Amino acid sequence: LQTYEPHELVRISSAVYSTRSHDSLKISNGKWFQWSTGVGGVSALDYLVKVQGMDFVSAVLRILECTRYATPTKTYTPKRAKPMDFVLPAPHENNDRVAAYLTGRGLSEDLLNMYFNMGLVYEDRRHNCVFVGFDKDTVPRYAMLRSSDPSSTFLREVEGSDKRYSFSAPHSGSETLFVFESAIDLMSFATIMKRRGLDFRRFHMLSLSGVYLPGKNEQDFRIPASLERFLREYPDTKAIYLHLDSDYAGRRGAASFITVLGDRYDVRYLPPKHGKDYNDYLMHLIHLENLKTERTQKNELRKEKTEPR
């Protein structure tokens, strides 16, 4: 992009770029991720196929065509974009669509109502789910948007969000922190605890808003700003339970967290027992419970029919 399409680049910070055509695309440290689609990559080929929509052969020919020509001698330095002030999206008059979407993913209605009342979750005027992160003075500093349309992949941070304050539910008396990749995973785990009669409010809970992969050397892995800030503000934390996804990224991320933090905390990787993430696991449990209820009802009906009157 810098060499062949410099007009497309927009500098967000000293090491982060976006593009004029795709403002949800972020490029940093040799990698890129498009928040609106949830797709990322590490090469020009990935970018042409996954973002520009080229087929594989056309993308390869495009790259070969570029390399036929000498690199331009005039370099282009994109203008740095002005930092955006953080402003929460305007709320809708009710949370009906978001409530329907999230309960459809198995989340407890009582838990949702509690989070609605706390301002941690709400529905904006475009009917997106808004997951809000607060600082210790209950000032909103971060928000993640997710479409309430089950068929949509829309997902992005609100402009100006401070990643240090991602979605969380702290408990001042806890020494244990549960860490998740997303707000929905956090609430799914809380729902599982609630269904089992456990008080999820006794523990710290933090969403990282994504997982962070290390490089070749795990010792160089830098913990996310949100976790670093959380541990600094809650110094009594002794145990960190990593409820990350059970995929490659989750396993690599967990290994790095254990390497970097294991000498100061009791760090454990506790992926879901079923599915990729804890929302998958919650939906699996609900399905099993529904099957059990159906079997019980059928057995009772069969028993009524066979018992003598």
Side-chain angles (χ1 to χ4, degrees):
L1 283 168
Q2 197 166 42
T3 303
Y4 298 103
E5 296 181 8
H7 57 281
E8 269 290 303
L9 276 182
V10 177
R11 176 177 282 173
I12 304 299
S13 66
S14 60
V16 180
Y17 293 83
S18 181
T19 67
R20 300 190 189 282
S21 300
H22 305 280
D23 59 359
S24 71
L25 180 73
K26 297 297 182 289
I27 307 166
S28 177
N29 299 318
K31 302 176 183 179
W32 61 265
F33 189 84
Q34 191 172 26
W35 285 96
S36 61
T37 61
V39 172
V42 296
S43 68
L45 186 60
D46 288 337
Y47 168 79
L48 291 174
V49 172
K50 298 176 183 178
V51 178
Q52 297 295 70
M54 289 186 177
D55 62 78
F56 179 80
V57 174
S58 298
V60 171
L61 292 175
R62 168 72 174 131
I63 292 171
L64 292 174
E65 180 185 3
C66 289
T67 57
R68 287 172 54 195
Y69 304 99
T71 302
T73 55
K74 183 179 179 181
T75 59
Y76 174 81
T77 303
K79 292 183 179 179
R80 182 170 177 171
K82 293 181 179 179
M84 298 283 291
D85 292 331
F86 175 71
V87 179
L88 283 174
H92 187 54
E93 59 185 17
N94 58 57
N95 296 311
D96 292 352
R97 290 199 192 182
V98 164
Y101 170 69
L102 294 176
T103 54
R105 294 189 63 166
L107 301 186
S108 161
E109 187 174 344
D110 291 341
L111 180 142
L112 274 178
N113 287 332
M114 182 185 77
Y115 282 177
F116 285 151
N117 292 333
M118 294 171 66
L120 282 167
V121 184
Y122 71 92
E123 180 175 331
D124 70 10
R125 289 180 180 173
R126 295 184 177 182
H127 306 295
N128 293 310
C129 309
V130 185
F131 303 104
V132 185
F134 293 87
D135 63 19
K136 289 194 75 172
D137 298 320
T138 66
V139 176
R141 303 283 295 275
Y142 176 93
M144 175 69 79
L145 302 179
R146 175 185 284 275
S147 174
S148 62
D149 178 358
S151 65
S152 173
T153 59
F154 176 75
L155 176 72
R156 73 173 180 84
E157 293 176 335
V158 172
E159 292 289 348
S161 287
D162 188 336
K163 288 182 178 293
R164 294 175 299 172
Y165 298 93
S166 57
F167 184 86
S168 66
H171 178 78
S172 57
S174 177
E175 295 181 348
T176 302
L177 169 62
F178 297 156
V179 176
F180 305 85
E181 292 190 26
S182 72
I184 289 181
D185 284 343
L186 184 157
M187 291 190 290
S188 296
F189 187 82
T191 298
I192 292 171
M193 292 186 70
K194 190 173 184 298
R195 294 173 76 91
R196 293 175 175 172
L198 303 173
D199 186 2
F200 63 89
R201 291 169 293 185
R202 293 175 49 227
F203 305 97
H204 295 310
M205 293 192 180
L206 172 67
S207 161
L208 300 177
S209 297
V211 71
Y212 297 74
L213 282 174
K216 292 182 179 180
N217 187 356
E218 288 184 350
Q219 293 291 348
D220 297 331
F221 175 75
R222 183 172 180 179
I223 65 172
S226 56
L227 179 56
E228 188 174 33
R229 185 271 311 171
F230 200 98
L231 294 175
R232 186 171 60 251
E233 292 187 357
Y234 296 94
D236 293 335
T237 302
K238 294 180 180 178
I240 302 173
Y241 295 165
L242 303 168
H243 297 284
L244 307 180
D245 293 358
S246 59
D247 57 7
Y248 173 77
R251 291 191 295 272
R252 283 291 309 281
S256 298
F257 283 119
I258 292 170
T259 299
V260 175
L261 298 172
D263 60 338
R264 289 175 285 162
Y265 304 92
D266 175 15
V267 188
R268 304 181 190 183
Y269 174 43
L270 301 174
K273 296 179 181 179
H274 180 90
K276 174 179 173 290
D277 55 39
Y278 270 91
N279 188 246
D280 284 348
Y281 185 35
L282 171 61
M283 296 298 287
H284 173 71
L285 292 176
I286 292 173
H287 176 65
L288 290 181
E289 289 174 5
N290 289 342
L291 288 178
K292 183 178 179 181
T293 302
E294 288 176 10
R295 283 197 300 269
T296 301
Q297 291 173 345
K298 289 179 181 179
N299 289 336
E300 289 178 351
L301 182 61
R302 190 179 301 113
K303 186 177 180 181
E304 288 179 2
K305 289 181 178 180
T306 56
E307 284 182 346
R309 295 184 180 275

